[in-house]
Amino acid sequence: SQQGEEDPQALSIQEGENATMNCSYKTSINNLQWYRQNSGRGLVHLILIRSNEREKHSGRLRVTLDTSKKSSSLLITASRAADTASYFCATDAEVAGAQKLVFGQGTRLTINP
Amino acid sequence: DGGITQSPKYLFRKEGQNVTLSCEQNLNHDAMYWYRQDPGQGLRLIYYSQIVNDFQKGDIAEGYSVSREKKESFPLTVTSAQKNPTAFYLCASSINLDTGELFFGEGSRLTVL
Protein backbone atom coordinates (compact mmCIF):
# COMPACT_ATOMS: atom_id res chain seq x y z
CA SER A 1 0.00 0.00 0.00
CA GLN A 2 1.21 3.50 -0.77
CA GLN A 3 1.97 5.62 2.25
CA GLY A 4 2.82 8.81 0.39
CA GLU A 5 1.34 9.97 -2.88
CA GLU A 6 2.52 13.00 -4.79
CA ASP A 7 0.39 15.32 -6.85
CA PRO A 8 0.66 16.20 -9.66
CA GLN A 9 2.49 13.32 -11.31
CA ALA A 10 4.05 15.74 -13.77
CA LEU A 11 4.46 19.51 -13.79
CA SER A 12 5.87 21.74 -16.51
CA ILE A 13 6.47 25.45 -15.91
CA GLN A 14 8.51 28.32 -17.27
CA GLU A 15 11.81 29.30 -15.74
CA GLY A 16 11.33 31.88 -13.03
CA GLU A 17 7.89 30.63 -12.01
CA ASN A 18 7.18 28.90 -8.72
CA ALA A 19 6.57 25.16 -8.58
CA THR A 20 4.35 23.53 -5.99
CA MET A 21 4.16 19.80 -5.39
CA ASN A 22 1.92 18.06 -2.89
CA CYS A 23 2.20 14.87 -0.89
CA SER A 24 -0.56 13.06 0.96
CA TYR A 25 -0.09 10.19 3.35
CA LYS A 26 -2.28 7.79 5.27
CA THR A 27 -0.95 7.11 8.76
CA SER A 28 0.53 9.25 11.49
CA ILE A 29 4.19 10.10 10.99
CA ASN A 30 7.26 11.16 12.93
CA ASN A 31 8.66 13.15 10.05
CA LEU A 32 8.30 13.74 6.35
CA GLN A 33 11.17 14.17 3.95
CA TRP A 34 11.55 15.44 0.40
CA TYR A 35 14.13 14.09 -2.02
CA ARG A 36 15.20 15.05 -5.51
CA GLN A 37 16.29 12.68 -8.28
CA ASN A 38 17.90 13.74 -11.53
CA SER A 39 17.26 11.36 -14.39
CA GLY A 40 19.23 8.13 -14.01
CA ARG A 41 20.86 9.24 -10.76
CA GLY A 42 20.48 8.57 -7.06
CA LEU A 43 18.21 10.52 -4.73
CA VAL A 44 19.41 13.57 -2.87
CA HIS A 45 17.90 14.64 0.43
CA LEU A 46 16.38 18.12 0.34
CA ILE A 47 14.62 18.73 3.61
CA LEU A 48 13.10 16.98 6.63
CA ILE A 49 10.14 18.35 8.55
CA ARG A 50 9.09 16.87 11.85
CA SER A 51 5.50 16.20 12.83
CA ASN A 52 5.51 19.07 15.31
CA GLU A 53 6.69 21.58 12.69
CA ARG A 54 4.39 23.38 10.29
CA GLU A 55 6.81 25.05 7.92
CA LYS A 56 10.46 24.86 7.04
CA HIS A 57 12.68 26.76 4.63
CA SER A 58 15.93 25.93 2.89
CA GLY A 59 17.14 28.39 0.28
CA ARG A 60 14.49 28.52 -2.46
CA LEU A 61 12.61 25.59 -0.91
CA ARG A 62 9.64 25.92 1.38
CA VAL A 63 7.97 22.89 2.89
CA THR A 64 4.71 22.90 4.81
CA LEU A 65 3.16 20.10 6.81
CA ASP A 66 -0.48 19.79 7.84
CA THR A 67 -0.82 16.75 10.06
CA SER A 68 -4.59 17.21 10.41
CA LYS A 69 -4.95 16.80 6.64
CA LYS A 70 -2.06 14.35 6.39
CA SER A 71 -0.47 16.39 3.65
CA SER A 72 2.68 18.31 2.81
CA SER A 73 3.70 20.66 0.06
CA LEU A 74 7.04 21.53 -1.47
CA LEU A 75 7.38 24.97 -3.03
CA ILE A 76 10.35 25.85 -5.21
CA THR A 77 10.51 29.57 -5.81
CA ALA A 78 12.08 31.30 -8.82
CA SER A 79 12.60 28.00 -10.63
CA ARG A 80 15.67 27.35 -12.76
CA ALA A 81 16.30 24.92 -15.59
CA ALA A 82 18.58 22.99 -13.22
CA ASP A 83 15.57 22.27 -10.98
CA THR A 84 14.29 19.85 -13.64
CA ALA A 85 14.09 16.51 -11.80
CA SER A 86 11.71 14.16 -10.05
CA TYR A 87 10.74 15.02 -6.49
CA PHE A 88 9.71 12.41 -3.94
CA CYS A 89 8.21 12.65 -0.52
CA ALA A 90 9.04 9.98 2.02
CA THR A 91 7.22 9.19 5.21
CA ASP A 92 7.84 6.70 7.94
CA ALA A 93 5.53 3.73 7.95
CA GLU A 94 5.56 0.23 9.35
CA VAL A 95 7.34 -2.24 7.09
CA ALA A 96 7.63 -5.83 8.30
CA GLY A 97 7.09 -4.73 11.88
CA ALA A 98 9.59 -1.87 11.87
CA GLN A 99 9.36 1.83 11.09
CA LYS A 100 10.86 2.54 7.68
CA LEU A 101 10.84 5.30 5.12
CA VAL A 102 8.27 4.76 2.38
CA PHE A 103 8.53 6.75 -0.83
CA GLY A 104 5.76 8.07 -3.03
CA GLN A 105 5.77 7.77 -6.80
CA GLY A 106 7.14 11.24 -7.33
CA THR A 107 6.39 14.40 -9.25
CA ARG A 108 8.32 14.91 -12.46
CA LEU A 109 9.13 18.61 -12.73
CA THR A 110 10.22 20.18 -16.00
CA ILE A 111 11.46 23.76 -16.10
CA ASN A 112 11.29 25.25 -19.57
CA PRO A 113 13.90 27.92 -20.38
CA ASP B 1 34.96 12.58 0.28
CA GLY B 2 32.45 10.42 2.10
CA GLY B 3 29.69 8.74 0.20
CA ILE B 4 28.15 5.61 -1.20
CA THR B 5 29.57 3.80 -4.21
CA GLN B 6 27.51 1.41 -6.27
CA SER B 7 28.87 -0.79 -9.01
CA PRO B 8 28.45 -1.59 -11.75
CA LYS B 9 26.48 1.32 -13.16
CA TYR B 10 25.00 -0.86 -15.90
CA LEU B 11 24.65 -4.62 -15.90
CA PHE B 12 23.17 -7.04 -18.39
CA ARG B 13 22.12 -10.53 -17.41
CA LYS B 14 20.80 -13.52 -19.20
CA GLU B 15 17.75 -15.23 -17.80
CA GLY B 16 18.65 -17.84 -15.21
CA GLN B 17 21.82 -16.11 -14.04
CA ASN B 18 22.46 -14.65 -10.61
CA VAL B 19 24.09 -11.24 -10.45
CA THR B 20 25.54 -9.31 -7.53
CA LEU B 21 25.39 -5.55 -7.16
CA SER B 22 28.00 -3.90 -4.99
CA CYS B 23 27.37 -1.16 -2.44
CA GLU B 24 30.14 0.37 -0.33
CA GLN B 25 29.91 3.32 2.07
CA ASN B 26 32.57 5.26 3.97
CA LEU B 27 30.16 7.34 6.01
CA ASN B 28 30.45 5.10 9.07
CA HIS B 29 26.70 4.58 8.96
CA ASP B 30 25.17 1.66 10.80
CA ALA B 31 22.09 1.21 8.59
CA MET B 32 22.07 0.28 4.91
CA TYR B 33 19.22 -0.31 2.49
CA TRP B 34 18.46 -1.61 -0.98
CA TYR B 35 15.61 -0.17 -3.01
CA ARG B 36 14.21 -1.05 -6.38
CA GLN B 37 12.84 1.59 -8.74
CA ASP B 38 10.80 0.82 -11.84
CA PRO B 39 10.22 3.42 -14.61
CA GLY B 40 8.06 6.28 -13.44
CA GLN B 41 7.65 4.69 -10.03
CA GLY B 42 8.72 5.33 -6.50
CA LEU B 43 11.17 3.27 -4.51
CA ARG B 44 10.34 -0.09 -2.98
CA LEU B 45 12.38 -1.51 -0.12
CA ILE B 46 14.06 -4.85 -0.79
CA TYR B 47 16.27 -5.42 2.26
CA TYR B 48 17.79 -3.39 5.04
CA SER B 49 20.46 -3.92 7.65
CA GLN B 50 20.94 -2.26 11.00
CA ILE B 51 24.21 -3.86 11.96
CA VAL B 52 26.88 -6.24 10.73
CA ASN B 53 25.67 -9.82 10.27
CA ASP B 54 22.04 -8.80 10.59
CA PHE B 55 19.51 -7.88 7.89
CA GLN B 56 15.75 -7.83 7.44
CA LYS B 57 13.38 -8.27 4.53
CA GLY B 58 11.57 -5.28 3.15
CA ASP B 59 8.43 -5.20 1.01
CA ILE B 60 9.77 -7.10 -2.01
CA ALA B 61 12.55 -9.43 -0.81
CA GLU B 62 11.52 -12.49 -2.85
CA GLY B 63 14.18 -13.40 -5.40
CA TYR B 64 16.88 -11.30 -3.72
CA SER B 65 19.55 -12.00 -1.12
CA VAL B 66 21.99 -9.83 0.81
CA SER B 67 24.89 -10.09 3.21
CA ARG B 68 26.42 -7.68 5.71
CA GLU B 69 29.82 -9.08 6.63
CA LYS B 70 31.38 -5.64 6.99
CA LYS B 71 29.92 -2.35 8.15
CA GLU B 72 30.97 -0.67 4.91
CA SER B 73 29.54 -3.22 2.50
CA PHE B 74 26.02 -4.43 1.68
CA PRO B 75 25.95 -6.39 -1.59
CA LEU B 76 22.69 -7.41 -3.22
CA THR B 77 22.33 -10.60 -5.23
CA VAL B 78 19.52 -10.79 -7.75
CA THR B 79 18.80 -14.46 -8.13
CA SER B 80 17.20 -16.40 -10.96
CA ALA B 81 14.13 -16.68 -8.76
CA GLN B 82 13.39 -12.99 -9.30
CA LYS B 83 10.85 -13.10 -12.12
CA ASN B 84 11.13 -9.53 -13.30
CA PRO B 85 14.59 -8.24 -12.34
CA THR B 86 14.99 -5.49 -14.93
CA ALA B 87 15.02 -2.30 -12.85
CA PHE B 88 17.10 0.48 -11.34
CA TYR B 89 18.59 -0.51 -8.00
CA LEU B 90 19.51 2.04 -5.37
CA CYS B 91 21.57 1.52 -2.26
CA ALA B 92 21.29 3.91 0.67
CA SER B 93 22.62 4.36 4.16
CA SER B 94 21.69 6.26 7.28
CA ILE B 95 23.25 6.88 10.67
CA ASN B 96 20.85 4.40 12.23
CA LEU B 97 17.45 2.84 11.64
CA ASP B 98 15.53 5.82 12.96
CA THR B 99 13.72 7.38 10.00
CA GLY B 100 16.16 10.21 9.37
CA GLU B 101 17.98 11.29 6.25
CA LEU B 102 19.06 8.65 3.75
CA PHE B 103 22.21 9.00 1.64
CA PHE B 104 21.96 7.32 -1.75
CA GLY B 105 24.39 5.89 -4.24
CA GLU B 106 24.13 6.63 -7.95
CA GLY B 107 22.29 3.41 -8.70
CA SER B 108 22.81 0.29 -10.80
CA ARG B 109 20.66 -0.39 -13.84
CA LEU B 110 20.08 -4.11 -14.41
CA THR B 111 18.70 -5.35 -17.71
CA VAL B 112 17.75 -8.94 -18.32
CA LEU B 113 18.23 -10.01 -21.93
Side-chain angles (χ1 to χ4, degrees), chain A residues 2 30-31 33 35 37 40-45 48 88 92-93 95-96 98-106 108, chain B residues 9-10 33 35 37 40-43 45 48 57-59 88 90 97-107 109:
Chain A
Q2 201 73 25
N30 295 314
N31 64 63
Q33 302 179 42
Y35 288 80
Q37 182 182 35
R41 305 290 295 275
L43 277 71
V44 176
H45 181 263
L48 179 153
F88 295 88
D92 50 329
V95 175
Q99 288 294 113
K100 291 289 153 284
L101 274 185
V102 176
F103 289 80
Q105 294 189 336
R108 176 175 283 182
Chain B
K9 178 70 174 175
Y10 299 96
Y33 311 80
Y35 288 90
Q37 186 178 32
Q41 302 295 313
L43 280 65
L45 183 62
Y48 62 96
K57 294 181 179 180
D59 278 337
F88 190 53
L90 287 158
L97 272 188
D98 289 342
T99 50
E101 177 182 354
L102 294 186
F103 294 78
F104 283 85
E106 287 297 291
R109 186 169 300 279

Coordinates of all heavy atoms in Angstrom, one line a residue, chain A residues 2 30-31 33 35 37 40-45 48 88 92-93 95-96 98-106 108, chain B residues 9-10 33 35 37 40-43 45 48 57-59 88 90 97-107 109:
Chain A
Q2 N 0.4 2.3 -0.6 CA 1.2 3.5 -0.8 C 1.0 4.4 0.4 O -0.1 4.8 0.7 CB 0.8 4.2 -2.1 CG 1.8 5.2 -2.6 CD 3.0 4.5 -3.2 OE1 2.9 3.3 -3.7 NE2 4.1 5.1 -3.2
N30 N 6.3 10.5 12.1 CA 7.3 11.2 12.9 C 7.9 12.3 12.2 O 8.1 13.4 12.7 CB 8.4 10.2 13.4 CG 7.8 9.1 14.3 OD1 7.1 9.4 15.2 ND2 8.2 7.9 14.0
N31 N 8.1 12.1 10.9 CA 8.7 13.1 10.1 C 8.3 12.9 8.6 O 7.9 11.8 8.2 CB 10.2 13.3 10.2 CG 11.0 12.1 9.8 OD1 11.0 11.7 8.6 ND2 11.6 11.4 10.7
Q33 N 10.0 13.7 4.6 CA 11.2 14.2 3.9 C 10.9 14.3 2.5 O 10.0 13.7 1.9 CB 12.3 13.2 4.1 CG 12.7 12.9 5.6 CD 13.8 11.9 5.7 OE1 14.8 11.9 4.9 NE2 13.6 10.9 6.6
Y35 N 12.9 14.4 -1.3 CA 14.1 14.1 -2.0 C 14.0 14.5 -3.5 O 12.9 14.6 -4.0 CB 14.4 12.6 -2.0 CG 14.8 12.0 -0.6 CD1 13.9 11.8 0.4 CD2 16.2 11.8 -0.4 CE1 14.3 11.3 1.6 CE2 16.6 11.3 0.9 CZ 15.6 11.1 1.8 OH 16.0 10.6 3.1
Q37 N 15.6 13.7 -7.5 CA 16.3 12.7 -8.3 C 16.4 13.2 -9.7 O 15.4 13.4 -10.4 CB 15.6 11.3 -8.3 CG 16.3 10.3 -9.1 CD 15.6 8.9 -9.1 OE1 14.4 8.9 -9.2 NE2 16.4 7.8 -9.1
G40 N 18.2 9.1 -14.0 CA 19.2 8.1 -14.0 C 20.2 8.2 -12.9 O 21.3 7.6 -12.9
R41 N 19.9 9.0 -11.9 CA 20.9 9.2 -10.8 C 20.2 8.8 -9.4 O 19.1 8.4 -9.4 CB 21.2 10.7 -10.7 CG 21.8 11.3 -11.9 CD 23.1 10.8 -12.3 NE 24.1 11.2 -11.3 CZ 24.8 12.3 -11.3 NH1 24.6 13.2 -12.2 NH2 25.7 12.6 -10.4
G42 N 21.0 8.9 -8.4 CA 20.5 8.6 -7.1 C 19.7 9.7 -6.5 O 19.6 10.8 -7.1
L43 N 19.0 9.5 -5.4 CA 18.2 10.5 -4.7 C 19.1 11.4 -3.8 O 20.0 10.9 -3.2 CB 17.1 9.9 -3.9 CG 15.8 9.5 -4.7 CD1 16.1 8.3 -5.5 CD2 14.7 9.3 -3.7
V44 N 18.7 12.6 -3.7 CA 19.4 13.6 -2.9 C 18.4 14.2 -1.9 O 17.3 14.6 -2.3 CB 20.1 14.7 -3.7 CG1 20.7 15.7 -2.8 CG2 21.1 14.1 -4.6
H45 N 18.8 14.1 -0.6 CA 17.9 14.6 0.4 C 17.8 16.2 0.3 O 18.8 16.8 0.2 CB 18.4 14.2 1.8 CG 17.6 14.7 2.9 ND1 17.9 15.8 3.7 CD2 16.5 14.1 3.5 CE1 17.0 15.9 4.6 NE2 16.1 14.9 4.5
L48 N 13.9 17.8 5.7 CA 13.1 17.0 6.6 C 12.3 17.9 7.5 O 12.8 18.9 8.1 CB 14.0 16.1 7.5 CG 13.4 15.2 8.5 CD1 14.4 14.0 8.7 CD2 13.1 15.8 9.8
F88 N 10.4 13.4 -4.7 CA 9.7 12.4 -3.9 C 9.5 12.8 -2.5 O 10.5 13.4 -1.9 CB 10.5 11.1 -3.9 CG 10.7 10.5 -5.3 CD1 11.7 10.8 -6.1 CD2 9.8 9.5 -5.7 CE1 11.9 10.3 -7.4 CE2 9.9 8.9 -7.0 CZ 11.0 9.3 -7.8
D92 N 7.6 7.9 7.2 CA 7.8 6.7 7.9 C 6.6 5.9 8.1 O 5.5 6.4 8.4 CB 8.5 7.0 9.3 CG 7.8 8.0 10.1 OD1 7.2 8.9 9.5 OD2 7.8 8.0 11.3
A93 N 6.7 4.6 7.8 CA 5.5 3.7 8.0 C 6.0 2.4 8.4 O 7.2 2.1 8.3 CB 4.8 3.6 6.6
V95 N 7.0 -1.3 8.1 CA 7.3 -2.2 7.1 C 7.9 -3.5 7.8 O 8.9 -3.4 8.5 CB 8.4 -1.7 6.1 CG1 8.8 -2.8 5.1 CG2 7.9 -0.5 5.3
A96 N 7.2 -4.6 7.7 CA 7.6 -5.8 8.3 C 7.9 -5.6 9.8 O 8.9 -6.1 10.3 CB 8.9 -6.4 7.6
A98 N 8.7 -2.9 11.5 CA 9.6 -1.9 11.9 C 9.3 -0.6 11.1 O 8.7 -0.6 10.0 CB 11.0 -2.3 11.6
Q99 N 9.6 0.5 11.7 CA 9.4 1.8 11.1 C 10.4 2.1 10.0 O 11.6 2.1 10.3 CB 9.4 3.0 12.1 CG 8.2 3.0 13.1 CD 6.9 3.3 12.4 OE1 6.0 2.4 12.3 NE2 6.8 4.5 11.8
K100 N 10.0 2.3 8.8 CA 10.9 2.5 7.7 C 10.3 3.7 6.9 O 9.2 4.1 6.9 CB 10.9 1.3 6.8 CG 11.6 0.1 7.4 CD 13.1 0.4 7.5 CE 13.7 -0.4 8.6 NZ 13.4 0.2 10.0
L101 N 11.3 4.3 6.0 CA 10.8 5.3 5.1 C 10.1 4.7 3.9 O 10.6 3.7 3.4 CB 12.0 6.1 4.6 CG 12.5 7.3 5.5 CD1 13.6 8.0 4.7 CD2 11.4 8.2 5.8
V102 N 9.0 5.2 3.5 CA 8.3 4.8 2.4 C 8.1 5.9 1.4 O 7.7 7.0 1.8 CB 6.9 4.2 2.8 CG1 6.1 3.8 1.5 CG2 7.0 3.0 3.7
F103 N 8.5 5.7 0.2 CA 8.5 6.8 -0.8 C 7.3 6.8 -1.7 O 6.7 5.7 -2.0 CB 9.7 6.6 -1.7 CG 11.0 6.9 -1.1 CD1 11.7 5.9 -0.2 CD2 11.7 8.1 -1.2 CE1 12.9 6.2 0.4 CE2 12.8 8.4 -0.6 CZ 13.4 7.5 0.2
G104 N 6.8 7.9 -2.1 CA 5.8 8.1 -3.0 C 6.3 7.9 -4.4 O 7.5 7.6 -4.6
Q105 N 5.4 8.0 -5.4 CA 5.8 7.8 -6.8 C 6.4 9.0 -7.5 O 6.9 8.8 -8.6 CB 4.5 7.3 -7.6 CG 4.0 6.0 -7.1 CD 3.0 5.4 -8.0 OE1 2.3 6.1 -8.8 NE2 2.8 4.1 -8.0
G106 N 6.4 10.1 -6.8 CA 7.1 11.2 -7.3 C 6.4 12.2 -8.2 O 5.4 11.8 -8.9
R108 N 7.3 14.6 -11.5 CA 8.3 14.9 -12.5 C 8.2 16.4 -12.8 O 7.2 16.8 -13.4 CB 8.2 14.0 -13.7 CG 9.2 14.4 -14.8 CD 9.1 13.4 -16.0 NE 9.8 12.2 -15.6 CZ 10.0 11.2 -16.5 NH1 9.5 11.3 -17.7 NH2 10.6 10.1 -16.1
Chain B
K9 N 27.5 0.4 -12.8 CA 26.5 1.3 -13.2 C 25.4 0.7 -14.0 O 24.2 0.9 -13.9 CB 27.1 2.5 -13.9 CG 26.1 3.6 -14.3 CD 25.5 4.3 -13.2 CE 24.6 5.5 -13.6 NZ 23.9 6.2 -12.5
Y10 N 25.9 -0.1 -15.0 CA 25.0 -0.9 -15.9 C 25.4 -2.3 -15.9 O 26.6 -2.7 -15.9 CB 25.1 -0.3 -17.3 CG 24.7 1.1 -17.5 CD1 25.7 2.1 -17.5 CD2 23.4 1.5 -17.6 CE1 25.4 3.4 -17.6 CE2 23.1 2.9 -17.7 CZ 24.0 3.8 -17.7 OH 23.7 5.1 -17.8
Y33 N 20.5 0.1 3.1 CA 19.2 -0.3 2.5 C 19.4 -0.6 1.0 O 20.3 0.0 0.4 CB 18.2 0.8 2.6 CG 18.1 1.5 4.0 CD1 19.0 2.4 4.4 CD2 17.0 1.1 4.8 CE1 18.8 3.0 5.7 CE2 16.8 1.7 6.0 CZ 17.8 2.6 6.5 OH 17.6 3.2 7.7
Y35 N 16.9 -0.5 -2.4 CA 15.6 -0.2 -3.0 C 15.6 -0.5 -4.5 O 16.6 -0.5 -5.2 CB 15.3 1.3 -2.9 CG 15.0 1.8 -1.5 CD1 16.0 2.3 -0.7 CD2 13.7 1.9 -1.1 CE1 15.7 2.8 0.6 CE2 13.4 2.4 0.2 CZ 14.4 2.8 1.0 OH 14.1 3.3 2.3
Q37 N 13.7 0.6 -8.1 CA 12.8 1.6 -8.7 C 12.5 1.2 -10.2 O 13.4 0.9 -11.0 CB 13.6 2.9 -8.7 CG 12.7 4.1 -9.3 CD 13.4 5.4 -9.2 OE1 14.6 5.5 -9.4 NE2 12.7 6.5 -9.0
G40 N 9.2 5.4 -13.8 CA 8.1 6.3 -13.4 C 7.5 6.0 -12.1 O 6.4 6.4 -11.7
Q41 N 8.2 5.1 -11.3 CA 7.6 4.7 -10.0 C 8.5 5.2 -8.9 O 9.6 5.7 -9.1 CB 7.6 3.2 -10.0 CG 6.8 2.5 -11.1 CD 5.3 2.9 -10.9 OE1 4.7 2.8 -9.8 NE2 4.7 3.3 -12.0
G42 N 7.9 5.0 -7.7 CA 8.7 5.3 -6.5 C 9.7 4.2 -6.2 O 9.9 3.3 -6.9
L43 N 10.2 4.3 -5.0 CA 11.2 3.3 -4.5 C 10.5 2.2 -3.6 O 9.7 2.6 -2.8 CB 12.3 3.9 -3.7 CG 13.4 4.6 -4.5 CD1 12.9 5.8 -5.3 CD2 14.5 5.1 -3.5
L45 N 11.3 -1.0 -1.0 CA 12.4 -1.5 -0.1 C 12.5 -3.0 -0.3 O 11.6 -3.8 -0.1 CB 12.1 -1.2 1.3 CG 13.1 -1.6 2.4 CD1 14.4 -0.8 2.2 CD2 12.6 -1.3 3.8
Y48 N 17.1 -4.4 4.3 CA 17.8 -3.4 5.0 C 18.6 -4.1 6.1 O 18.3 -5.2 6.6 CB 16.9 -2.3 5.6 CG 15.8 -2.8 6.6 CD1 16.0 -2.7 8.0 CD2 14.6 -3.3 6.1 CE1 15.1 -3.2 8.9 CE2 13.6 -3.7 7.0 CZ 13.9 -3.7 8.4 OH 12.9 -4.1 9.3
K57 N 14.1 -8.4 5.8 CA 13.4 -8.3 4.5 C 12.5 -7.0 4.5 O 12.0 -6.6 5.5 CB 12.5 -9.5 4.3 CG 13.2 -10.8 4.1 CD 12.2 -11.9 3.9 CE 13.0 -13.2 3.7 NZ 12.1 -14.4 3.4
G58 N 12.5 -6.4 3.3 CA 11.6 -5.3 3.1 C 10.3 -5.8 2.5 O 9.8 -6.9 2.7
D59 N 9.7 -4.9 1.7 CA 8.4 -5.2 1.0 C 8.5 -6.2 -0.1 O 7.6 -7.0 -0.3 CB 7.8 -3.9 0.4 CG 7.1 -3.1 1.4 OD1 6.7 -3.7 2.4 OD2 6.9 -1.9 1.2
F88 N 16.0 -0.4 -11.9 CA 17.1 0.5 -11.3 C 17.2 0.2 -9.8 O 16.2 0.3 -9.1 CB 16.7 1.9 -11.6 CG 17.8 2.9 -11.4 CD1 19.1 2.8 -12.0 CD2 17.6 4.1 -10.6 CE1 20.1 3.7 -11.7 CE2 18.6 5.0 -10.4 CZ 19.8 4.8 -11.0
L90 N 18.9 1.0 -6.1 CA 19.5 2.0 -5.4 C 19.9 1.5 -4.0 O 19.1 0.9 -3.3 CB 18.6 3.2 -5.2 CG 18.4 4.0 -6.5 CD1 17.1 4.8 -6.5 CD2 19.5 5.0 -6.7
L97 N 18.7 3.2 12.2 CA 17.5 2.8 11.6 C 16.3 3.8 11.9 O 15.3 3.7 11.4 CB 17.0 1.5 12.1 CG 17.6 0.3 11.3 CD1 16.9 -1.0 11.9 CD2 17.3 0.4 9.9
D98 N 16.6 4.8 12.8 CA 15.5 5.8 13.0 C 15.3 6.5 11.6 O 16.2 6.7 10.8 CB 16.0 6.9 14.0 CG 16.0 6.3 15.4 OD1 15.3 5.3 15.6 OD2 16.6 6.9 16.2
T99 N 14.1 6.9 11.3 CA 13.7 7.4 10.0 C 14.2 8.8 9.7 O 13.4 9.7 9.5 CB 12.2 7.3 9.8 OG1 11.6 8.0 10.9 CG2 11.7 5.9 9.7
G100 N 15.5 8.9 9.7 CA 16.2 10.2 9.4 C 16.6 10.2 7.9 O 16.2 9.3 7.1
E101 N 17.5 11.1 7.6 CA 18.0 11.3 6.2 C 18.7 10.1 5.7 O 19.5 9.5 6.4 CB 18.9 12.5 6.2 CG 19.6 12.8 4.9 CD 20.5 13.9 4.9 OE1 20.6 14.6 6.0 OE2 21.2 14.2 3.9
L102 N 18.4 9.7 4.5 CA 19.1 8.6 3.8 C 20.0 9.3 2.8 O 19.8 10.3 2.1 CB 18.1 7.8 3.0 CG 17.1 6.9 3.8 CD1 16.3 6.0 2.8 CD2 17.8 6.1 4.8
F103 N 21.2 8.6 2.6 CA 22.2 9.0 1.6 C 22.2 7.9 0.6 O 22.4 6.7 0.9 CB 23.6 9.1 2.3 CG 23.7 10.2 3.3 CD1 23.1 10.1 4.6 CD2 24.3 11.4 2.9 CE1 23.2 11.2 5.5 CE2 24.4 12.5 3.8 CZ 23.9 12.3 5.1
F104 N 22.1 8.3 -0.7 CA 22.0 7.3 -1.8 C 23.2 7.2 -2.6 O 23.9 8.2 -2.8 CB 20.8 7.7 -2.7 CG 19.4 7.4 -2.1 CD1 18.8 8.2 -1.2 CD2 18.8 6.2 -2.4 CE1 17.6 7.9 -0.7 CE2 17.6 5.8 -1.9 CZ 17.0 6.7 -1.0
G105 N 23.4 6.0 -3.2 CA 24.4 5.9 -4.2 C 23.8 6.3 -5.6 O 22.6 6.8 -5.6
E106 N 24.6 6.2 -6.6 CA 24.1 6.6 -7.9 C 23.3 5.6 -8.7 O 22.8 5.9 -9.8 CB 25.3 7.0 -8.8 CG 26.0 8.4 -8.3 CD 25.0 9.5 -8.5 OE1 24.7 9.9 -9.7 OE2 24.5 10.1 -7.5
G107 N 23.2 4.4 -8.1 CA 22.3 3.4 -8.7 C 23.0 2.5 -9.7 O 24.1 2.8 -10.2
R109 N 21.8 0.0 -12.9 CA 20.7 -0.4 -13.8 C 20.9 -1.8 -14.4 O 21.9 -2.1 -15.0 CB 20.5 0.6 -15.0 CG 19.3 0.3 -15.9 CD 19.0 1.5 -16.8 NE 18.8 2.7 -16.2 CZ 17.7 3.1 -15.6 NH1 16.6 2.3 -15.6 NH2 17.6 4.3 -15.1

